[in-house]
Amino acid sequence: MTGVQTCALPISFLHAYANPEHERIAGKIVQEMLPDAYVSLSHEILREYREYERTSTTVVNSYIGPKVGGYVRNLQNRLAKLDFKGELAIMQSNGGVMAASTAVSRPVMMMESGPVGGIIAGAEVGKALGYRDVVSFDMGGTTAKASLVRDGEAAMAEGYYVGGYASGHPVMMPVVDVVEVGAGGGSIAWIDEVGALKVGPRSAGADPGPICYELGGTQPTITDANVILGRIGADDFLGGEMKLDRDGAAKGMMKVVGDPLKMGLHAAARAVIDISISKMSLAVREVSVAKGYDPRDFAMVASGGAGPPHAVTVARELNIPTVVIPIFPSHFSALGMVMTDERHDFVRTYYSEITVADFGLLRRITKEMQEEARKLVSGDKEMEAQILFDLRYVGQEFALQVPIANEQLERADVKSIRAAFDAMHEHRYAHSSSDEQIEIINVRLIALGKRTKLKLPAINDASGAPKFTTRPVVFNDDTPVETRVYKRDDLGKGQTIEGPALVVEYGTTTVIFPGDSLKVADTGELIISLRKA
């Protein structure tokens, strides 16, 4: 039937990254023979050497293209019927958004984009509060994710594997560097064959969910442990709309964890939390310490429904001094999607030792990429462009992406480019070799279509001491502490709270430990200062 894409065909020629003309001709022939086919040309997806990775990326694009294209077109049609006058933008894995038309032709750039919105929002909120170096921590129902924001910019990785590194399919597209572990609110606690307590990666999910949900779950989870400890209230969950079964959670915890390990109820629940904290701390270490950064120099922005109950404990494990709980933490990824710019990434392979590189050709390459970017940036948005060189010492396999100023490119300033690479190598790997030759592998261009930034309005001033209730909560040992419980909506800007305390809102609960203190920012964020050890 005309107009329906009945097949998808990826086309990838060995050296199309250098000369795409034959690939274009093949694409035209296919379109003439199969006018309804979804065709992906490798040079349009990725103009970079490494034919296996380029081909794999093109194949993945073709595999998801027809279905994703149908979704996007259906969304456009439905919005048109609603007389929608705004701009439809689609989130990408690189931390930017793209026009719907670009999403239809390059859907591979949408993969792994789900958690990215929260990271971008974390960067923007951090900058607004004066924290340009941020650890973004997002804990949901099945996983916890960590990412690093350095000087207001999210850390990037070049590519990922769909289906895992061991047997997955490589996709060589820029993606925000996220480390994910199987620790979420629904992660199940269990005893392995040698009698050791484990938490996750198995999850109760939303159905049947934790035991306390009373939807049929029988295995204790991290959420059950928090309810047992009083950190999540059985009566104020989801604003009181959903009552939780603390007694059922306690029975399940004792049956699976407490009795086999000869532990009391509170000790068993704390052990489940402690193990999950250790797993999540490793994720934060992976994006910070493993990359040469000290977590103590960062603030943590915590989001997700399960982020605020655990953020302070994770931060304390790593000596992070400040935790920020943003507004709408359970919907933070969605908020981030309206806070980011349009972004397009381009790459061209250019292989040469830098001392003999043809800077005239390099300038032409960057100009071509800028012209291509201008065609993709939607509307009349102001465009900003950043040039980067992939550089490495001769003989190395992996390269570092070094930002290049226009002046360096125009003057062919090899000396300053070399110095920037050596400094970056020293920071990343704790050594550099100033006498070794370096070589250019790829030239990259990041084009940003600037969007109007969302500004969060100031909240009302504090009017006296906020109202609170109390309930027993277990913190650092097995003895419950009578703890003040505040509603977030009752807190005004400038309000301060000393721990122990809980701040509840519709989608989550913020846990403040004894000795820690909280201050409400002018725009409503909760800024928690951790006590010094």
Side-chain angles (χ1 to χ4, degrees):
M1 185 166 58
T2 303
V4 176
Q5 290 171 322
T6 56
C7 69
L9 184 66
I11 299 176
S12 179
F13 286 6
L14 188 62
H15 298 296
Y17 71 89
N19 184 353
E21 187 58 30
H22 291 166
E23 200 171 79
R24 291 195 187 102
I25 294 170
K28 289 180 181 178
I29 293 172
V30 169
Q31 293 280 218
E32 291 172 359
M33 297 178 65
L34 300 170
D36 295 328
Y38 184 94
V39 178
S40 298
L41 305 181
S42 75
H43 76 274
E44 293 180 348
I45 306 298
L46 187 71
R47 282 196 66 171
E48 186 173 352
Y49 81 130
R50 300 183 188 276
E51 66 274 5
Y52 173 69
E53 288 86 353
R54 176 162 46 87
T55 300
S56 175
T57 304
T58 308
V59 169
V60 171
N61 191 78
S62 291
Y63 181 78
I64 63 175
K67 183 161 286 191
V68 171
Y71 292 155
V72 173
R73 282 187 287 267
N74 182 52
L75 177 58
Q76 288 177 302
N77 292 336
R78 294 180 67 178
L79 289 173
K81 290 179 181 178
L82 295 171
D83 199 28
F84 174 70
K85 301 297 184 183
E87 175 190 2
L88 174 59
I90 308 294
M91 193 69 198
Q92 302 183 71
S93 59
N94 64 11
V97 295
M98 58 183 165
S101 57
T102 306
V104 170
S105 62
R106 302 179 186 181
V108 70
M109 294 188 289
M110 297 166 59
M111 299 186 68
E112 302 292 330
S113 64
V116 169
I119 297 164
I120 300 304
E124 293 297 328
V125 168
K127 285 189 288 188
L129 295 175
Y131 303 108
R132 296 188 65 84
D133 294 336
V134 164
V135 172
S136 175
F137 173 72
D138 178 353
M139 184 178 178
T142 56
T143 60
K145 308 167 191 70
S147 187
L148 199 74
V149 174
R150 184 80 174 92
D151 196 25
E153 298 293 333
M156 302 295 292
E158 280 307 312
Y160 53 93
Y161 284 77
V162 178
Y165 179 79
S167 58
H169 303 284
V171 173
M172 272 181 73
M173 302 298 291
V175 57
V176 172
D177 189 13
V178 181
V179 173
E180 184 174 304
V181 293
S187 294
I188 293 170
W190 52 287
I191 307 293
D192 69 10
E193 60 275 6
V194 298
L197 175 61
K198 305 287 186 180
V199 180
R202 292 181 291 181
S203 176
D207 185 12
I211 298 172
C212 61
Y213 284 10
E214 295 187 281
L215 297 176
T218 60
Q219 301 298 308
T221 66
I222 293 175
T223 296
D224 291 309
N226 278 294
V227 172
I228 291 166
L229 298 175
R231 300 178 188 181
I232 293 177
D235 297 323
D236 56 26
F237 192 72
L238 294 181
E241 294 178 7
M242 181 178 178
K243 302 299 181 182
L244 302 181
D245 181 12
R246 184 184 184 280
D247 291 339
K251 290 176 182 176
M253 184 68 70
M254 288 305 296
K255 179 181 179 181
V256 174
V257 179
D259 291 340
L261 297 180
K262 297 181 172 54
M263 303 173 72
L265 177 60
H266 290 160
R270 284 204 307 120
V272 170
I273 299 295
D274 289 346
I275 289 174
S276 67
I277 294 298
S278 295
K279 293 178 67 173
M280 292 184 283
S281 298
L282 288 174
V284 177
R285 290 180 189 277
E286 185 67 23
V287 299
S288 57
V289 177
K291 302 294 175 63
Y293 296 104
D294 188 339
R296 293 174 295 184
D297 298 331
F298 290 73
M300 174 181 284
V301 177
S303 61
H310 302 93
V312 166
T313 317
V314 174
R316 198 182 316 282
E317 186 85 2
L318 297 160
N319 295 311
I320 295 174
T322 306
V323 172
V324 177
I325 308 298
I327 62 171
F328 310 123
S330 299
H331 310 89
F332 203 50
S333 286
L335 183 64
M337 292 180 188
V338 298
M339 300 178 80
T340 185
D341 292 317
E342 185 174 345
R343 172 169 170 158
H344 301 284
D345 289 81
F346 302 87
V347 59
R348 298 279 185 91
T349 292
Y350 175 86
Y351 183 61
S352 171
E353 286 190 16
I354 196 166
T355 54
V356 294
D358 183 346
F359 274 78
L361 177 56
L362 289 171
R363 287 190 289 270
R364 288 197 298 274
I365 289 173
T366 57
K367 183 178 179 180
E368 289 173 6
M369 290 192 290
Q370 286 176 327
E371 291 172 350
E372 189 177 350
R374 185 67 265 176
K375 295 175 183 177
L376 281 181
V377 172
S378 57
D380 57 355
K381 295 185 181 72
E382 176 190 354
M383 190 181 88
E384 292 183 0
Q386 171 67 66
I387 303 164
L388 304 101
F389 286 174
D390 286 4
L391 300 174
R392 68 186 184 188
Y393 293 117
V394 173
Q396 283 186 319
E397 170 63 15
F398 298 102
L400 294 176
Q401 292 184 14
V402 179
I404 305 297
N406 286 326
E407 294 78 11
Q408 290 174 307
L409 190 61
E410 290 296 328
R411 298 198 309 265
D413 192 350
V414 172
K415 184 178 180 180
S416 66
I417 293 172
R418 170 64 193 254
F421 169 76
D422 286 336
M424 183 178 289
H425 200 282
E426 180 73 33
H427 186 273
R428 177 68 61 86
Y429 301 112
H431 70 90
S432 60
S433 302
S434 58
D435 295 331
E436 295 286 336
Q437 277 284 355
I438 65 172
E439 55 190 7
I440 304 174
I441 307 301
N442 297 305
V443 183
R444 298 182 185 274
L445 182 88
I446 300 171
L448 300 178
K450 306 301 289 184
R451 302 170 81 203
T452 302
K453 293 294 184 183
L454 175 68
K455 291 185 178 180
L456 300 176
I459 62 173
N460 294 329
D461 291 319
S463 56
K467 295 179 293 185
F468 62 86
T469 58
T470 63
R471 70 166 177 256
V473 179
V474 175
F475 290 98
N476 297 315
D477 55 36
D478 296 339
T479 304
V481 176
E482 199 64 25
T483 301
R484 290 166 296 166
V485 181
Y486 299 88
K487 291 184 178 179
R488 186 165 186 175
D489 289 344
D490 292 339
L491 302 180
K493 64 181 180 182
Q495 204 105 48
T496 59
I497 295 172
E498 299 297 322
L502 303 177
V503 179
V504 299
E505 56 189 293
Y506 183 81
T508 190
T509 298
T510 299
V511 178
I512 308 158
F513 276 67
D516 298 336
S517 61
L518 176 151
K519 183 175 181 179
V520 182
D522 289 353
T523 45
E525 294 83 7
L526 308 181
I527 303 176
I528 303 169
S529 299
L530 276 63
R531 70 179 186 274
K532 294 183 179 179

